Amino acid sequence: MRRPVLTWPEPGVRTLDGSADARRLADEVTRVRRLLWEDPPTSDDATGAEAPDGADLAGPTATALDDVVARFGLTSFERDILLGAVAVELDPALAPLTFQQALAVLPEPHWSATLPERPLRAARLLVMADGPLLGSYLRADERIVHHLQGVDTLDERLAAYVVPAPAPAERMPASRREAASALRALWEDGAHACLVHGPDRADRQDVVALAAAAVGAEAWRLPAGDLPGTAAERDAFARLWTRESVLTGAVLIIDLADPTPDTVNAVGAFVTRASVALAVSAEASMTISGVVAELLVPRPSHAEQSALWRRILPGPDRTGPDAEGLATALADEFHFGHDDILRSPIQLDGERHDEGSAPRRDSTDVAAMVRRRSTAHVRHRMGVLAERLEPRAGWPDLVLPAETHRSLRLLTAAAIGRRALHHSGAGRFTSRGQGLTALFTGPSGTGKTMAAEVVAAEVGLDLYRVDLASVVSKWVGETEKHLRQVFDAAEQGGSILLFDEADALFGRRSEVRDSHDRYANLEVSYLLQRMEQYRGVAILTTNLRSAIDPAFARRLRFVVKFPHPAPDARRQLWRAALPDQMRGGDIDFERLCRLDLTGGEISTVATHAHLVANAAGEPVSMAHLRDAVAAELVKLDRSLSSLDVLG
């Protein structure tokens, strides 16, 4: 088997003036080398002239050496020490340079050159060997030697932590360009550490990368959890990154995806030590030590999302009425960031075709493809916190009173019509209360979950049942984090959330007697706040309406009651559960409907009877049903006297 060929990235080579760079460095190194290791320079040596201080060296013809001196504010003595250390790196035959030798030979010496707060050591331009101060060897850091030689490559001690941020998406919405300009202005005004927050991580990253590109810099990404653990390690890392940013203008994006107290403190400690332009990327606004400004990056407006959808639609005609209508409908249904639309698996024509040979698709096909791939995208984000329910029932399958049917129809119409509300004038004054929340209340087995499936199918949205076992956590703050993930994913993808047995989450707040009560109340309070902001559709079901916290009442747009089925309704439920081809001739529906059972209990009894009858190779008979009803009553801890109605 052939070995793979490894390829390495090309180093970044400086383009100021390569020949002048090399000549100037060689001349300066030669001058310092003569001072330190050879005969003093004569008056005829052109290189023996004093160079001005770093503040006067910057200009259009500045070389790499001038650039380092100016950027770090080196004195002439500090510059000469650095050159002497570089000379040792370039010529192994030279004896190592000591601080005592530099003080004795180099012009304009000063003791403070090697203090920890001066740039030679603070920015790690030099490394001092352990030992007596005067006798310490001074070595130039490898990164500086490469830089002075005209080659820029990331320090290997940084490369273990940071990765290049992806280039910003092309043709971003105007709101993103405005946010990038605002971030750049904050940096230029001295707010070097800025918190960039918003619902979409990739959108935040694009804004920072765009702001960095505007000043000719490259953006790098660092997960906050990867910051060094100890204070000394963080300080060393901060110094190295500060040096890198000063040398190349690089901008760091600290990705604060999981803002635990320890991580937030570590980010604050790092930011306080690094005094260069950087951005902390987080989902929500928060207080971080050292961060002096913040910038919100919301999702694009409805008009911007519609324009982005229109841009990626397949086919030569993306401006016609069909394309415009489809793009608007997609913007109504999904609430994506610009990166989700432009880069996610929603690129429709994955195959390569010659110009004009791409397959023609009508708007129905395109809409189906987009919705299928977008929905898969949302399902991935939902994770294991919610289970997708596949609707199997329709309106005819709901055996409910007329009033309940009417309420469900109104709920369905409101769920369909709410999409236009988000970009109409009706919701312009507030971003709260634009969602649609309904409470289905009634005894267990009366059809609440089935009704939610019917509504979801009619509206054309996925239905996700929240898994309480996965959402609720004993750890403080974890439940709220899981709920936020569920709400955000559902809101983004236009899905319907179903909270079965909602009183487990939305229960009444209690008097605080210990820390458990306090944290339980915090979870309910967070739910109240999140429901207020939620823009999607949520359905809550409960067997006991009085257990729901009263504060949720104002946030409920619909309360649909599912009563215990009357005899006529039970007759319909029995007939639906016992199809003609599976039952025997002795089935007496008049007797069966006199049993006080709910629809769910009837379904359970019928299934039990079917299983027993199938095992015996017989159709379902009244005997099978009597045994199944008895088993159900025992399970429900109810009296068997009601079996008398079956004879």
Side-chain angles (χ1 to χ4, degrees):
M1 183 177 66
R2 295 182 59 186
R3 293 184 178 180
V5 178
L6 300 180
T7 58
W8 303 97
E10 292 292 331
V13 181
R14 296 181 62 85
T15 58
L16 288 174
D17 182 355
S19 59
D21 233 12
R23 185 169 60 253
R24 171 68 189 280
L25 179 62
D27 290 346
E28 290 294 318
V29 169
T30 300
R31 176 179 64 81
V32 173
R33 176 175 177 165
R34 288 182 178 179
L35 286 172
L36 293 170
W37 290 282
E38 302 175 7
D39 296 331
T42 66
S43 59
D44 296 332
D45 291 328
T47 60
E50 282 288 333
D53 285 344
D56 299 327
L57 288 171
T61 59
T63 64
L65 175 62
D66 302 329
D67 193 49
V68 169
V69 172
R71 287 179 181 270
F72 291 96
L74 302 181
T75 66
S76 59
F77 178 59
E78 290 168 337
R79 180 196 63 233
D80 286 349
I81 289 179
L82 179 61
L83 288 169
V86 170
V88 175
E89 298 297 325
L90 298 179
D91 188 353
L94 296 178
L97 174 65
T98 66
F99 186 40
Q100 181 179 18
Q101 182 183 6
L103 286 171
V105 177
L106 295 177
E108 301 185 20
H110 56 89
W111 184 268
S112 62
T114 56
L115 290 178
E117 61 267 23
R118 288 296 300 167
L120 287 180
R121 290 182 63 188
R124 299 295 193 265
L125 304 181
L126 287 181
V127 178
M128 296 185 67
D130 293 336
L133 182 59
L134 288 176
S136 297
Y137 295 138
L138 306 178
R139 293 198 58 185
D141 191 88
E142 178 185 348
R143 175 70 178 89
I144 297 301
V145 177
H146 290 320
H147 182 80
L148 293 178
Q149 289 288 82
V151 177
D152 274 331
T153 182
L154 188 69
D155 192 307
E156 63 179 352
R157 290 163 291 186
L158 296 175
Y161 295 93
V162 302
V163 294
E170 296 181 2
R171 298 173 61 191
M172 285 192 291
S175 60
R176 297 307 189 250
R177 295 192 296 272
E178 293 169 0
S181 298
L183 179 58
R184 178 184 176 185
L186 289 173
W187 286 337
E188 292 174 346
D189 290 342
H192 69 278
C194 297
L195 174 66
V196 179
H197 61 96
D200 295 290
R201 178 189 300 179
D203 284 19
R204 301 191 302 264
Q205 185 172 275
D206 273 358
V207 167
V208 179
L210 188 63
V215 295
E218 185 176 4
W220 297 78
R221 188 177 69 86
L222 167 68
D226 289 348
L227 277 170
T230 67
E233 291 172 335
R234 279 197 302 270
D235 178 72
F237 182 80
R239 291 173 184 267
L240 290 176
W241 180 260
T242 298
R243 183 186 68 185
E244 189 67 29
S245 183
V246 171
L247 285 176
T248 64
V251 171
L252 185 63
I253 306 172
I254 303 177
D255 190 1
L256 190 53
D258 187 13
T260 63
D262 289 343
T263 306
V264 172
N265 291 337
V267 170
F270 171 80
V271 166
T272 303
R273 300 295 299 178
S275 56
V276 291
L278 56 84
V280 179
S281 173
E283 184 174 338
S285 176
M286 64 185 70
T287 300
I288 303 176
S289 177
V291 174
V292 296
E294 66 177 55
L295 179 71
L296 173 63
V297 181
R299 288 199 174 104
S301 66
H302 181 273
E304 289 176 329
Q305 291 184 48
S306 180
L308 290 169
W309 282 115
R310 205 159 46 240
R311 188 184 307 166
I312 71 165
L313 292 178
D317 183 13
R318 302 183 181 184
T319 60
D322 288 345
E324 184 174 356
L326 175 58
T328 300
L330 292 172
D332 289 343
E333 182 170 344
F334 299 101
H335 193 41
F336 285 153
H338 77 266
D339 191 84
D340 288 321
I341 297 176
L342 294 177
R343 292 178 178 167
S344 67
I346 306 172
Q347 300 298 330
L348 303 178
D349 283 325
E351 310 87 358
R352 294 294 181 184
H353 302 278
D354 296 331
E355 185 174 357
S357 65
R360 299 299 299 270
R361 301 185 175 100
D362 59 32
S363 59
T364 303
D365 293 336
V366 171
M369 292 175 63
V370 171
R371 289 190 175 95
R372 184 169 60 251
R373 299 188 184 185
S374 298
T375 301
H377 187 54
V378 173
R379 290 176 190 169
H380 174 72
R381 293 195 172 189
M382 194 75 73
V384 298
L385 301 177
E387 171 196 9
R388 181 173 177 268
L389 299 181
E390 189 70 40
R392 294 183 175 88
W395 290 109
D397 300 310
L398 291 178
V399 182
L400 296 167
E403 183 61 31
T404 304
H405 257 289
R406 185 160 44 250
S407 297
L408 291 174
R409 293 282 186 180
L410 288 174
L411 169 61
T412 303
I416 295 173
R418 85 183 217 290
R419 299 172 182 172
L421 178 67
H422 300 325
H423 54 277
S424 68
R428 68 184 184 277
F429 295 115
T430 179
S431 60
R432 298 176 298 170
Q434 294 187 8
L436 187 62
T437 307
L439 176 66
F440 290 179
T441 176
S444 178
T446 50
K448 298 185 293 296
T449 301
M450 179 185 289
E453 294 180 12
V454 172
V455 171
E458 185 74 8
V459 178
L461 299 178
D462 278 353
L463 177 66
Y464 285 90
R465 178 165 54 194
V466 177
D467 185 354
L468 298 182
S470 299
V471 168
V472 178
S473 172
K474 66 178 181 179
W475 304 109
V476 176
E478 284 295 301
T479 300
E480 289 87 337
K481 184 177 73 174
H482 293 160
L483 286 169
R484 181 172 63 248
Q485 179 181 339
V486 168
F487 276 113
D488 288 349
E491 188 175 59
Q492 187 179 29
S495 304
I496 296 179
L497 287 180
L498 173 63
F499 292 89
D500 254 343
E501 309 298 337
D503 43 288
L505 274 177
F506 298 80
R508 288 175 177 268
R509 286 167 289 186
S510 60
E511 180 182 350
V512 176
R513 296 184 178 87
D514 54 30
S515 60
H516 298 288
D517 294 335
R518 184 184 306 111
Y519 292 130
N521 288 348
L522 283 175
E523 292 175 2
V524 176
S525 298
Y526 172 77
L527 272 170
L528 285 167
Q529 175 188 352
R530 195 60 182 85
M531 293 293 287
E532 186 81 21
Q533 300 170 347
Y534 185 51
R535 292 178 43 170
V537 180
I539 297 175
L540 287 60
T541 73
T542 182
N543 302 338
L544 188 61
R545 180 179 175 180
S546 59
I548 301 293
D549 193 289
F552 285 104
R554 184 175 62 84
R555 294 160 176 82
L556 296 172
R557 295 195 180 274
F558 290 89
V559 175
V560 183
K561 297 180 180 179
F562 288 74
H564 201 89
D568 288 344
R570 293 199 292 267
R571 184 182 295 105
Q572 296 182 54
L573 291 169
W574 277 114
R575 289 190 177 278
L578 299 169
D580 294 342
Q581 66 273 19
M582 300 184 68
R583 67 173 185 255
D586 66 336
I587 302 299
D588 189 342
F589 288 106
E590 293 304 319
R591 290 187 177 185
L592 288 172
C593 73
R594 292 164 58 187
L595 290 168
D596 190 17
L597 300 176
T598 65
E601 293 161 355
I602 290 173
S603 177
T604 300
V605 168
T607 301
H608 186 160
H610 281 309
L611 293 175
V612 174
N614 286 340
E618 303 169 351
V620 177
S621 66
M622 286 296 289
H624 295 133
L625 290 172
R626 181 185 177 88
D627 292 341
V629 170
E632 184 70 10
L633 292 176
V634 170
K635 183 184 73 175
L636 298 174
D637 196 22
R638 288 161 58 178
S639 172
L640 297 180
S641 61
S642 58
L643 288 175
D644 295 342
V645 302
L646 297 182

